[in-house]
Amino acid sequence: MKKICYFLLAICSVHFSLKAQATEEVSPETRALFLTTETDLQEWMAYLVSPECRGRLTGDIGFQKAAQYVADLFQEWGLELGGDQGGYFQHFPHPYTEVQEMGQFSLYFPVGKDWIAKEYPYPDHYMVGGTSDSGELHRLELAYVGYGITAPELNYDDYKGIDVKGKIVVCDRDIPYQGRDPELQKKWTPYQYHNLKMTNAVAHGAAGMLYITTTANPNPGWNPGFIYACISDSVARDIFAGTGGNYDAVKEGINQSMKPYSFVIEKKADIKAVTQFHPDEIGCNVIGILRGTDPTLEPEMIMAGAHLDHVGMMPVLMPGAMDNASGSVIIMGAAKALSTSGYTPKRTLVFVLYGGEETGLIGSKYLVDHPISPLENLKVVFNIDCLGTGYGLGARAAQKYASLLDYVEGANEAVLKRPFTTRLGNNEIITRPRTDDANFFVKGVPTISLFSFGAAYRTPYHHPGDVMELIEFDIVRDCVKLLTRTMMDMGNVEKIEASPK
């Protein structure tokens, strides 16, 4: 009997010894890949998309709560303070407009000597403009002004030969130029911004605007007395009905000919907006740092960022789960994994949650202009925006930085083996820059955008339907692992070289 007991004790001793040995032998690099769980990601996102965060419009109390939530987690994980005034926040000025009511939009059709009104449902066919002043416009004439651009240096003016004073202009988003010439892209790019279109309409005497896009746009550019609403393509087709032209054909004709096609429309509209402008508010970036340990490589930095903000209350909650709570929790997941696993990088790793992306890449622009370290120390900036569905992962960089994609591809092969793709972009300019990495790219900093592909459905954009229930957390979790492994590999390699392949 004693022999049996001794034998069992020996077996147990060996078992516990091997278990302890196995625990001790798990490297920090391996531990980092499994520290962040889907439960973590779901918990963080649930708070970011909650009514308490009010859609995270930069400057609003809801954004401030979201930023504080991230900063508290950064502190819990032991990240070094990366902001100003001895904290995690890097502050910048940020006026914003609060949409307080759904407002109203009606289109009037002439029928004999009478006018027949048609109402449109919110939010699929109209929304109050995100920077509209508060007020009402009643039965004002309409004028289509194409893209609403006046660009003398490009010999292009949508307002030439048309009087829009006191009228509501109907205007397309974006720009007519669809080509790939880098020099022309540089010249056309500034004219795509919403605020410039609004300001140009005001300069030509327009009373308001119907902006053809059913997305909430909180870009700055508030103009006193200027009232506007966003409308769908189907509303635009109703506006064009009976004019002798087809909306889609007219727009395509402008794109093909690069010549304006503006005209007064024999219809009228009402727009009502109830808003409040906050001119003196403050936004912030949230910055945490994992300091490098190598005396020579410590000044070099690898940065990973995503925008924390969304479009706020319009006036219903815009949760912004895909855009961009998804990217935010991925950055948070990598930050937790790398800072709490015991991993010690040679280079310094930086984690940023930007404010002001939705209002014109303001937070990332401020960081570029007020860097926490000279920009030449930035070896690469990762950016994640709207990554929350699909089955495959990918990475995008300019052709001149193509060699950096090997790190990401290698990380996928080592830890995930998901379907993976790489994409190469233009060397000179990011076409239609709408993501934060553009501000770094134009300063000569190598950038990599991570993305997913293979989604079975399209998530509503800048819409109340962008909800957490549509997020596929397995791809979010795996992107955390991909970013974590890539940053570890880059954090310890002797030299990072960005070059064409």
Side-chain angles (χ1 to χ4, degrees):
M1 184 67 179
K2 287 183 179 180
K3 289 183 179 180
I4 294 175
C5 289
Y6 286 138
F7 177 75
L8 291 174
L9 285 172
I11 292 292
C12 290
S13 176
V14 170
H15 170 75
F16 286 115
S17 175
L18 290 173
K19 186 175 181 180
Q21 185 179 358
T23 301
E24 291 172 0
E25 289 178 355
V26 173
S27 68
E29 289 80 3
T30 300
R31 190 178 301 117
L33 295 174
F34 299 95
L35 269 173
T36 299
T37 66
E38 286 190 34
T39 301
D40 291 330
L41 299 166
Q42 290 168 353
E43 177 183 327
W44 302 336
M45 186 180 289
Y47 181 76
L48 295 181
V49 303
S50 70
E52 186 171 352
C53 290
R54 290 173 46 85
R56 310 187 306 282
L57 177 61
T58 306
D60 182 75
I61 184 64
F63 176 82
Q64 296 170 23
K65 289 182 177 181
Q68 187 63 57
Y69 179 76
V70 174
D72 289 345
L73 288 173
F74 278 7
Q75 183 177 37
E76 179 184 321
W77 300 334
L79 287 168
E80 182 180 321
L81 306 169
D84 49 32
Q85 302 173 358
Y88 288 108
F89 303 137
Q90 182 187 46
H91 296 94
F92 51 83
H94 195 280
Y96 76 96
T97 302
E98 178 185 359
V99 177
Q100 297 178 322
E101 294 183 11
M102 290 183 185
Q104 181 264 336
F105 162 64
S106 299
L107 184 62
Y108 290 87
F109 298 80
V111 179
K113 295 181 179 181
D114 296 322
W115 292 89
I116 303 299
K118 180 178 181 180
E119 302 281 342
Y120 291 88
Y122 173 100
D124 291 328
H125 291 291
Y126 91 92
M127 282 191 277
V128 172
T131 55
S132 175
D133 197 0
S134 194
E136 297 183 45
L137 303 178
H138 292 289
R139 293 202 185 189
L140 295 188
E141 288 186 307
L142 303 183
Y144 178 68
V145 293
Y147 290 95
I149 293 170
T150 300
E153 75 281 14
L154 292 166
N155 193 30
Y156 187 94
D157 186 0
D158 283 307
Y159 287 92
K160 185 177 180 180
I162 185 171
D163 181 7
V164 300
K165 291 179 182 177
K167 296 182 175 63
I168 296 173
V169 295
V170 181
C171 179
D172 279 300
R173 65 179 293 167
D174 294 324
I175 54 178
Y177 181 70
Q178 307 293 314
R180 303 287 295 176
D181 182 275
E183 290 305 313
L184 283 175
Q185 285 179 346
K186 288 179 183 178
K187 292 177 180 179
W188 276 103
T189 290
Y191 292 103
Q192 73 175 320
Y193 295 114
H194 314 302
N195 58 320
L196 189 63
K197 294 172 185 280
M198 307 297 164
T199 303
N200 198 32
V202 171
H204 284 86
M209 177 183 287
L210 294 175
Y211 198 27
I212 307 173
T213 171
T214 47
T215 57
N217 291 306
N219 293 95
W222 179 83
N223 297 281
F226 189 74
I227 314 299
Y228 79 98
C230 300
I231 59 172
S232 67
D233 284 5
S234 63
V235 176
R237 294 182 188 110
D238 283 353
I239 290 172
F240 270 68
T243 65
N246 172 278
Y247 165 65
D248 299 280
V250 168
K251 183 179 178 181
E252 182 61 23
I254 296 173
N255 294 347
Q256 293 295 327
S257 68
M258 291 299 295
K259 294 180 180 179
Y261 187 85
S262 302
F263 59 98
V264 174
I265 298 172
E266 295 300 319
K267 291 185 178 67
K268 298 180 181 182
D270 292 345
I271 306 175
K272 178 184 177 182
V274 180
T275 65
Q276 183 177 1
F277 181 53
H278 299 268
D280 302 315
E281 295 304 321
I282 301 295
C284 69
N285 300 316
V286 189
I287 307 174
I289 299 171
L290 181 59
R291 187 67 59 181
T293 58
D294 185 279
T296 302
L297 297 179
E298 178 270 335
E300 296 184 2
M301 291 184 168
I302 300 166
M303 181 182 291
H307 72 89
L308 179 63
D309 66 314
H310 193 51
V311 299
M313 307 290 291
M314 294 294 291
V316 301
L317 175 66
M318 298 285 190
M322 176 69 86
D323 186 17
N324 185 36
S326 63
S328 297
V329 300
I330 289 169
I331 299 301
M332 294 161 68
K336 177 188 177 182
L338 291 164
S339 61
T340 64
S341 62
Y343 167 71
T344 53
K346 294 180 179 179
R347 288 181 179 81
T348 297
L349 308 183
V350 182
F351 305 93
V352 184
L353 278 298
Y354 306 106
E357 192 270 356
E358 300 288 6
T359 49
L361 314 185
I362 293 175
S364 55
K365 179 65 164 58
Y366 190 87
L367 179 54
V368 166
D369 292 340
H370 303 82
I372 60 175
S373 180
L375 291 180
E376 55 265 27
N377 289 340
L378 273 176
K379 307 308 292 183
V380 63
V381 171
F382 289 93
N383 189 67
I384 302 177
D385 197 351
C386 299
L387 196 165
T389 56
Y391 59 81
L393 290 166
R396 181 189 299 107
Q399 294 176 3
K400 59 185 174 182
Y401 304 136
S403 62
L404 296 178
L405 298 180
D406 291 344
Y407 289 97
V408 192
E409 192 166 16
N412 178 69
E413 183 61 28
V415 301
L416 297 177
K417 292 184 171 58
R418 274 192 180 261
F420 188 86
T421 187
T422 58
R423 297 176 187 171
L424 296 178
N426 195 298
N427 280 337
E428 301 303 324
I429 187 171
I430 295 178
T431 306
R432 301 178 186 177
R434 294 199 183 105
T435 57
D436 290 299
D437 56 345
N439 284 320
F440 294 92
F441 182 84
V442 297
K443 293 290 187 178
V445 177
T447 62
I448 297 176
S449 292
L450 301 183
F451 60 89
S452 60
F453 61 89
Y457 50 87
R458 185 174 181 177
T459 304
Y461 176 70
H462 286 204
H463 187 279
D466 183 5
V467 295
M468 182 174 166
E469 287 74 15
L470 297 180
I471 300 297
E472 298 169 1
F473 280 93
D474 62 321
I475 196 75
V476 177
R477 175 205 64 211
D478 278 2
C479 188
V480 172
K481 291 185 178 182
L482 182 72
L483 180 60
T484 298
R485 176 59 186 261
T486 304
M487 293 185 78
M488 285 193 294
D489 291 345
M490 285 186 158
N492 283 350
V493 72
E494 288 303 314
K495 188 174 182 180
I496 296 176
E497 293 187 358
S499 62
K501 291 178 63 178

